[in-house]
Amino acid sequence: MKRFLSFFTIGIFLGILFIKSEVISWYRIYEMFRFESFHMYGIIGTAVISGILIIAYLKRRGIKTIDGNPISLPETPLNWKRHLLAGTIFGLGWALVGACPGPIFALLGAGKGIFVVVLSGALLGAIAYGKVEKRDKGICG
């Protein structure tokens, strides 16, 4: 229950943050893909840099996960063909729909019911990825 409450609280906080910072705004996403505004790039860049600094701090201090395990990130081998294909599919979906996976839930919470369709598509994509990944090398092996 403690874990659920932690995740629920973080989810509520992020949902409010996404709405207030206009990350869920289709207009802001449209601006980003047309290179007309720095708004989204600034938010994404801040998130990446914050993540790097927070993980480095947690590792340096020896802070453990909720389960008591040391924090570790698995090494992922670089596969240009696979990563470019995956990034292209993700980017096209993001550009066409106007939302990436995180804000889908914030949009649903904000009353945008049509995003149930988007969530369904995202879940189907995740299931398809799981099926392809199980074949070891996938389609881009």
Side-chain angles (χ1 to χ4, degrees), residues 31-120:
E31 279 182 329
M32 177 184 70
F33 281 109
R34 292 185 51 108
F35 301 104
E36 294 176 348
S37 174
F38 182 74
H39 183 86
M40 291 294 286
Y41 295 110
I43 290 172
I44 293 167
T46 301
V48 169
I49 291 168
S50 297
I52 291 168
L53 294 174
I54 290 168
I55 294 292
Y57 173 79
L58 294 175
K59 283 183 166 185
R60 190 175 313 115
R61 298 283 305 205
I63 296 173
K64 300 191 183 306
T65 65
I66 291 175
D67 298 327
N69 299 321
I71 294 173
S72 65
L73 299 173
E75 291 290 326
T76 303
L78 182 60
N79 180 330
W80 283 100
K81 188 176 178 184
R82 182 179 187 166
H83 288 101
L84 285 173
L85 177 63
T88 300
I89 292 169
F90 181 84
L92 285 172
W94 191 6
L96 292 172
V97 171
C100 68
I104 290 172
F105 295 102
L107 286 159
L108 285 170
K112 311 285 188 205
I114 191 65
F115 277 88
V116 168
V117 175
V118 175
L119 179 61
S120 300

Side-chain angles (χ1 to χ4, degrees), residues 2 4-7 19 23-24 45 65-66 82 114 116 131:
K2 177 182 171 185
F4 171 77
L5 289 175
S6 298
F7 292 146
I19 291 169
V23 170
I24 66 168
T65 65
I66 291 175
R82 182 179 187 166
I114 191 65
V116 168
K131 299 282 186 199

